[in-house]
Amino acid sequence: MEIKGNVKPTAVATAYFRSVESKRPDHLFVDDLAEKFVIASGMSPDGDLRLPNVTETRLYRTNAARTHYLDEQVRQAVAAGVRQVVILGAGLDSRAFRLGLSAEVTVFEVDLESLFEFKDAAVAASGREPTCRRITVAGDVETDDWSSALTAAGHNAAEPTVWIVESLFFYLGDEQNERLLSTLSELSASGTVLCGSHFGPGSREEQQTQQMNNRATEAGSAFRSYVDDPAAWLRPHGWEGEGVSIADYAATIDRHVPYTEEPGNVVAWLLSGRRL
């Protein structure tokens, strides 16, 4: 199907999965804006992804578990006093609207200006307002000097931040990720929280991941990296980190991710770290 507006199909698909989860009686979260974004894109609210039994698919279940994990990371950090949240490659993320963050919290969303043109038009049409202060920062995380734009928009590197890097690391090469982590470290005061997702070594062989990579490659966005151990990966950059298999995390919230993951050969990670 053809997507209306300058928004990537992957962002619309993510919004669709979140809209489906929101309608479940046992939902892990509620994202009322997700369906608004889907409809604005031209996709049917029932989905045009050609995925029968969508709630049984790996894509849907990992999306739901990942969203829940990152929501909890943000809530915990804000409860501990952090007042800045930065979402890199924000896409159609609506945490500024749905997490009930107070007016004392500022959420910075970093993404392409064209994405925000689509997103903000859909938000305006919905009549929804963020519960916190929301600031959009135009920039390409892969190529632009987004950090200077973020600082100019009001981010204070001397105060703790929650960084959300959701479904971004694996689209970048190893050198790009090292530069990104260095930049995040430079902008992070002690007590800052970094949370996100990445692929593990098991993604190299796992069949569904390879099928996803083939489709992503056809769309010009191939998967380019993975990490063996999130804690070891983050440590040289000054972070005390940890990782949990997304399949293991899903099991703790009564969800099953339908793929086989061998011990020590994690397919996909949820990761978090605290700046030392």
Side-chain angles (χ1 to χ4, degrees):
M1 64 161 294
E2 183 177 351
I3 300 294
K4 297 178 181 178
N6 292 313
V7 58
K8 291 183 178 180
T10 51
V12 178
T14 297
Y16 169 64
F17 292 139
R18 288 177 175 163
S19 72
V20 172
E21 178 65 28
S22 299
K23 296 172 184 177
R24 288 177 60 138
D26 61 343
H27 54 255
L28 298 174
F29 53 84
V30 174
D31 187 343
D32 293 332
L33 276 172
E35 185 171 280
K36 307 295 185 184
F37 295 140
V38 171
I39 294 172
S41 76
M43 180 189 286
S44 162
D46 293 327
D48 294 321
L49 298 179
R50 299 186 298 279
L51 291 174
N53 302 316
V54 64
T55 58
E56 302 300 316
T57 64
R58 175 258 183 89
L59 281 172
Y60 165 81
R61 293 193 181 188
T62 55
N63 183 285
R66 183 182 69 235
T67 301
H68 182 272
Y69 175 86
L70 297 176
D71 285 354
E72 291 303 300
Q73 293 291 321
V74 173
R75 288 191 178 102
Q76 291 171 17
V78 170
V82 178
R83 294 293 177 263
Q84 298 182 118
V85 180
V86 180
I87 308 172
L88 294 183
L92 301 178
D93 189 293
S94 65
R95 289 183 171 93
F97 299 84
R98 66 178 179 80
L99 288 189
L101 303 175
S102 72
E104 297 176 345
V105 176
T106 300
V107 172
F108 298 91
E109 299 181 8
V110 182
D111 212 315
L112 302 177
E113 184 174 0
S114 57
L115 179 281
F116 289 126
E117 290 174 357
F118 169 87
K119 183 176 184 177
D120 290 347
V123 169
S126 76
R128 291 290 303 278
E129 296 289 340
T131 61
C132 58
R133 189 181 181 212
R134 173 179 177 256
I135 297 176
T136 59
V137 180
D140 188 332
V141 177
E142 294 189 45
T143 60
D144 292 345
D145 184 13
W146 60 269
S147 60
S148 295
L150 179 64
T151 299
H155 177 259
N156 184 358
E159 297 293 331
T161 300
V162 184
W163 297 98
I164 302 175
V165 189
E166 183 173 7
S167 300
L168 175 61
F169 284 131
F170 51 77
Y171 285 117
L172 305 179
D174 290 331
E175 291 185 4
Q176 287 178 300
N177 277 324
E178 288 300 307
R179 289 195 296 271
L180 177 57
L181 287 177
S182 294
T183 300
L184 294 180
S185 298
E186 292 170 1
L187 295 175
S188 298
S190 177
T192 287
V193 174
L194 167 63
C195 55
S197 57
H198 206 334
F199 280 135
S203 64
R204 294 173 297 176
E205 294 89 20
E206 198 275 321
Q207 183 178 11
Q208 293 183 63
T209 305
Q210 289 308 306
Q211 291 171 349
M212 290 163 52
N213 188 33
N214 290 338
R215 290 195 293 269
T217 301
E218 290 174 0
S221 301
F223 302 154
R224 300 175 60 192
S225 61
Y226 69 90
V227 291
D228 291 306
D229 180 349
W233 184 53
L234 294 173
R235 191 176 301 118
H237 293 276
W239 301 85
E240 182 180 5
E242 62 180 8
V244 59
S245 158
I246 196 168
D248 288 346
Y249 181 78
T252 69
I253 53 176
D254 201 27
R255 296 295 173 91
H256 168 68
V257 175
Y259 61 69
T260 301
E261 186 173 71
E262 299 297 331
N265 203 32
V266 169
V267 173
W269 294 107
L270 296 171
L271 59 89
S272 63
R274 181 171 293 274
R275 187 79 166 103
L276 300 175

